[in-house]
Amino acid sequence: MYVSNLDNIIEKIGKDAQVEAEKIVDAAKKEQQSIIQRAEEEANQRAQEIIDKAEEEAKALIAKTLESSKLKARDKVLDSKNVVIDRTFDLAYKGLTDMSDKDFMKFINKFLKGVDGEGGVLVVPEKYKDYVRKHSDLKVSDDTVKDGFLLEKEKITYNNRFKNLVYQLKFKLTGEYFEDIFKE
């Protein structure tokens, strides 16, 4: 009997050990599944974060590229407008330098109406000297200018050179032009 009790105890310990081993294996499998599930969830979360970040970076890159394209387009428009402005003022200058003797004298007389006092010396381009001498009471200098005229009067020189006048007008109008552009 003693052996049979011992066998029963050994068998019971074996069964209990078997049950306990199965519990440990089941718990380990559950823990393994839990670890795998957490790892998958973490990996999915990281993957989503990477995707979200990539989408944000793509949106930012698209916005930056679009803004850059808009600036380049605006610059091209401004460049084109500047070319038109430059051509317009070049044509105006050419028109002034090609004016007839009679129109040149009208230009001088119109200016002289706004100047106080009388007298003075005119410095004009070579091509207008004879005509101005015949049609003006002012002395005409032997010196010449390339375009327009200078009026030297009482230690003051009035600069009415066409290049200067066109430049001043262009500077004034270009400033107004840019003010209008940047109001947008």
Side-chain angles (χ1 to χ4, degrees):
M1 215 172 354
Y2 178 71
V3 171
S4 125
N5 270 344
L6 189 58
D7 285 339
N8 283 341
I9 291 175
I10 290 175
E11 189 179 315
K12 175 135 173 66
I13 290 174
K15 283 182 183 177
D16 287 347
Q18 181 70 25
V19 168
E20 190 63 31
E22 287 175 7
K23 285 182 183 177
I24 291 172
V25 168
D26 285 344
K29 285 181 180 177
K30 285 181 184 176
E31 182 65 23
Q32 176 188 14
Q33 287 298 330
S34 177
I35 290 171
I36 290 171
Q37 185 177 356
R38 281 195 310 262
E40 285 177 352
E41 288 173 359
E42 208 173 285
N44 287 336
Q45 184 179 356
R46 286 275 299 143
Q48 189 60 46
E49 288 172 1
I50 291 169
I51 290 169
D52 291 345
K53 184 177 179 182
E55 286 176 355
E56 287 178 27
E57 288 175 358
K59 287 177 184 176
L61 181 61
I62 289 169
K64 184 178 178 181
T65 303
L66 182 61
E67 188 63 28
S68 176
S69 296
K70 285 180 182 178
L71 288 174
K72 286 178 184 176
R74 187 204 68 192
D75 288 347
K76 285 190 181 219
V77 168
L78 288 176
D79 288 344
S80 297
K81 287 180 178 181
N82 283 331
V83 166
V84 169
I85 289 171
D86 288 344
R87 285 184 186 162
T88 301
F89 282 101
D90 288 345
L91 288 172
Y93 175 74
K94 177 134 177 53
L96 288 170
T97 58
D98 290 342
M99 78 170 63
S100 69
D101 293 348
K102 186 176 181 181
D103 288 338
F104 185 73
M105 196 64 225
K106 284 181 187 177
F107 180 74
I108 291 173
N109 287 331
K110 186 175 180 182
F111 172 77
L112 292 174
K113 287 179 185 176
V115 177
D116 291 333
E118 294 187 17
V121 177
L122 287 171
V123 182
V124 299
E126 187 66 42
K127 69 180 184 177
Y128 297 118
K129 273 188 179 184
D130 291 337
Y131 189 84
V132 173
R133 280 187 177 124
K134 290 178 188 174
H135 296 89
S136 175
D137 296 333
L138 295 175
K139 182 178 186 240
V140 177
S141 173
D142 290 333
D143 294 334
T144 61
V145 290
K146 181 178 177 186
D147 57 61
F149 68 93
L150 300 174
L151 173 62
E152 296 172 346
K153 183 176 182 178
E154 301 172 10
K155 297 182 183 181
I156 297 174
T157 300
Y158 297 93
N159 184 350
N160 283 289
R161 305 247 344 260
F162 295 146
K163 197 71 156 179
N164 185 52
L165 296 174
V166 168
Y167 175 78
Q168 287 174 354
L169 183 60
K170 180 180 177 182
F171 183 77
K172 178 183 178 220
L173 294 178
T174 302
E176 291 171 5
Y177 165 74
F178 280 114
E179 283 179 15
D180 288 343
I181 288 174
F182 291 115
K183 283 181 184 176
E184 297 175 2

